[in-house]
Amino acid sequence: MDSSIGRFSTATVNSEAPAERPAEEQKPPELVYGSAEEFLHEQLLPTYVRDVDGRAAKWCLEWYFHPEALSRVEALWRAWEHLRLNGATGISVWWCDHADHHMNVLLDPRGPFYKCDMQKHRDPDHLEPKKAPEGWFPDVSLQS
């Protein structure tokens, strides 16, 4: 059995809610993976297998240099850690609402890795819009 799938199965089975205890005594559930990178290598990529040929799907071997990819992989990891605790539909929700959406964007040939190929990373172009006129977007954090 694939160890990454086994880790998921164990996490799901052992994730039942503890007996009723006051909220201050309940500890948050332990994470299965210690980082988004560990999650990517041990859970996501071994289970989300696609033919990455550069035409239908692209990936950058140095994915961590792409801010959008970092954010999306982090979001996938955190959503997985939360939804794995729902033994009924959590993993299905994760696949449908998170993995399929984010991975389709990441693997899209026009997505964040559009300049890269499987041998070479190329820095992405960044949008550099003009700043809006002063006062156009008031700082709402200063309002009480």
Side-chain angles (χ1 to χ4, degrees):
M1 174 189 284
D2 182 291
S3 64
S4 62
I5 294 171
R7 281 181 86 170
F8 175 77
S9 299
T10 302
T12 303
V13 171
N14 295 333
S15 63
E16 293 182 17
E20 293 298 319
R21 290 189 289 173
E24 63 271 10
E25 290 181 25
Q26 291 182 11
K27 295 180 183 177
E30 287 188 30
L31 298 174
V32 173
Y33 299 103
S35 69
E37 181 181 33
E38 182 183 4
F39 169 76
L40 178 83
H41 288 284
E42 293 187 21
Q43 178 66 37
L44 183 60
L45 295 183
T47 57
Y48 202 95
V49 178
R50 297 293 185 273
D51 188 16
V52 179
D53 61 6
R55 293 182 311 261
K58 290 193 83 152
W59 188 262
C60 179
L61 294 177
E62 296 180 297
W63 64 275
Y64 40 82
F65 284 128
H66 297 266
E68 179 182 356
L70 279 172
S71 183
R72 288 181 182 277
V73 171
E74 177 90 9
L76 285 167
W77 168 51
R78 292 187 180 278
W80 185 90
E81 290 284 2
H82 175 74
L83 289 167
R84 71 180 172 84
L85 299 173
N86 178 334
T89 61
I91 196 62
S92 180
V93 169
W94 180 80
W95 277 108
C96 294
D97 292 353
H98 301 276
D100 289 340
H101 172 74
H102 290 295
M103 291 303 288
N104 282 338
V105 172
L106 287 171
L107 293 170
D108 189 300
R110 297 162 300 172
F113 307 130
Y114 73 97
K115 284 183 134 184
C116 301
D117 57 45
M118 290 301 290
Q119 286 77 39
K120 183 161 176 52
H121 162 77
R122 292 178 181 88
D123 286 335
D125 294 328
H126 293 277
L127 298 174
E128 295 188 28
K130 291 181 179 181
K131 293 273 189 181
E134 187 69 34
W136 196 278
F137 293 97
D139 186 343
V140 295
S141 69
L142 301 176
Q143 300 173 357
S144 46

